[in-house]
Amino acid sequence: MVKLKTYANGLRLIVVPCEGSYSVTCGLLVGAGSRYETPENNGISHFLEHMTFKGTPTRTPFAISDDIDKIGGQINAFTNKESTCYYVRSVAENTEKAVDVLSDIFFNSTFDEGELDRERTVILEELNMAEDTPDDLCFDVLAEAHFGKTGLGATILGTKENIEKFRRDDVVKYKNEFYMPENTVICFAGKITFEEAEGLCSRYFASKFTRSGFIRPEITSKFIGKSKTVNKDIEQAHICFGFQGVKYASEKTDAATLANAALGGGMSSVLFQKVREELGLAYSVYSFVSSYLDCGSLCIYAGVGPKNKNKATDAIFTELKAFNKRGLTESEFLRSKEQIKSGFVFSRESMATQMLLYAKYLLYTGELFDFDKRLAEINAVTLDDVNDYVRTIDTEHYSSATVARKP
């Protein structure tokens, strides 16, 4: 049985036991991401994530990875628009050893200036890699076209100018502002009891926070709906369109997810069958939904030959408008529902996925995720529910991004 505990300092612990598992994933999710940054410190959340692995008073950067490797575990982290996640995975008998390393880097990282300068170069190379990955660049360009340059429109990696100027004081200041107990969720998923997890959490996490009183910044993002183009000397033209969607955990989430599956979520989807299979205009074409605390978007992406860019755009909008008008057929609806249900059930087999699912839901909504309830809600969605959502898609107002060779 999934259990939740809230400590006196505001830290929340979720335990998701799985008797059939032989491993445990422990993750910390902090409500710190690029939407909370300013133009002056854009990229600091991601920079801090990297620096957290660069040494503590008792562990060198090598010792951090070596101590995990010696127990056959995995340790990693990632940053997104609204949160940063640190996690470890290990076989059940090595859970405490893994948690000890995770706790050490989370609370005791020294942010050594020499390590900071070395990691700065690594992050600049990561930024260069993103610039050289045109579809990823296209998504970043679309975010700015959709939301503007701040909030959700800001990039996760930040700007080259910011990365080059960040100093230890900047990292420490940001960590002190956001890495607080009320803004952190800890989740254990796998072969572990609530009592075992509570003991580890109390010893390695709850008692180690020295500050509290977090107040989340009031930052809202609004749909802008502009078009942006970046010229790159590449073979394909990468195009992406963004339409207003639904926020995270909205009452329309399931309808939007099923509609997306039918529109461009797989090989049997409308866009794939028309744009790729019938017209042969693209190798890759798909749609996806992005949901945030207060808003969301429905996006369509295609990678096409430059000479086919206009044809592909016309085909995409022709299919989208027809889809918007007619809605899903019964067979499309049933296929999409089975796809979504299967993906949801399959996720139950990954302890890392379960950790993130429960932690994110609690951090974003303040409520405990209920797997069985969510499955029942997906089963309860009707064709009319989905088509009611499809008709609300405003196909006339959208943002667009293009990354392509200059004509």
Side-chain angles (χ1 to χ4, degrees), residues 16 18 189 339-358 369 371 375 378:
V16 187
C18 181
Q339 289 175 350
I340 300 306
K341 283 170 54 181
S342 296
F344 186 59
V345 172
F346 293 163
S347 73
R348 197 78 180 261
E349 299 174 2
S350 167
M351 295 304 99
T353 301
Q354 290 299 287
M355 174 278 294
L356 186 59
L357 174 65
Y358 280 85
F369 184 81
F371 192 95
L375 187 58
I378 294 172

Side-chain angles (χ1 to χ4, degrees), residues 197-268:
E198 183 183 28
L200 292 172
C201 185
S202 297
R203 184 158 62 255
Y204 288 98
F205 299 109
S207 61
K208 299 201 174 200
F209 283 98
T210 58
R211 303 170 67 252
S212 60
F214 176 77
I215 299 176
R216 183 176 299 283
E218 291 294 331
I219 298 176
T220 58
S221 291
K222 296 182 179 180
F223 171 71
I224 303 296
K226 293 186 176 182
S227 296
K228 285 184 64 65
T229 297
V230 172
N231 294 320
K232 300 277 288 186
D233 188 17
I234 53 179
E235 294 301 315
Q236 275 194 314
H238 298 261
I239 54 178
C240 201
F241 306 97
F243 306 85
Q244 295 186 70
V246 300
K247 67 179 183 179
Y248 182 80
S250 163
E251 61 182 12
K252 296 181 180 180
T253 292
D254 293 329
T257 303
L258 266 68
N260 172 71
L263 176 63
M267 294 176 65
S268 60

Side-chain angles (χ1 to χ4, degrees), residues 31-42:
S34 55
R35 84 168 298 174
Y36 303 113
E37 299 167 351
T38 65
E40 292 72 30
N41 74 354
N42 178 217

Side-chain angles (χ1 to χ4, degrees), residues 61-112:
F62 173 77
I64 291 169
S65 58
D66 188 49
D67 283 353
I68 292 296
D69 287 344
K70 284 188 293 190
I71 61 171
Q74 299 173 355
I75 187 167
N76 213 333
F78 60 86
T79 304
N80 60 34
K81 299 281 188 178
E82 295 179 317
S83 60
T84 303
C85 180
Y86 302 87
Y87 64 94
V88 287
R89 302 172 61 191
S90 68
V91 294
E93 57 263 34
N94 289 328
T95 299
E96 184 165 3
K97 293 177 181 178
V99 166
D100 176 56
V101 177
L102 184 62
S103 172
D104 191 27
I105 66 170
F106 189 80
F107 290 105
N108 303 322
S109 291
T110 56
F111 307 124
D112 176 79

Side-chain angles (χ1 to χ4, degrees), residues 39-40 42-43 124 127 155 157-164 166:
E40 292 72 30
N42 178 217
L124 285 171
L127 183 62
T155 66
L157 296 182
T159 65
K160 180 180 179 182
E161 293 74 21
N162 284 355
I163 294 168
E164 288 178 337
F166 287 146

Side-chain angles (χ1 to χ4, degrees), residues 146-147 242-246 288-292 295-299 389:
H146 200 84
F147 294 112
F243 306 85
Q244 295 186 70
V246 300
F288 60 93
V289 291
S290 295
S291 297
Y292 306 103
C295 60
S297 57
L298 168 66
C299 303
Y389 164 76

Side-chain angles (χ1 to χ4, degrees), residues 279-290:
L279 299 177
L281 294 175
Y283 174 76
S284 181
V285 57
Y286 57 85
S287 64
F288 60 93
V289 291
S290 295

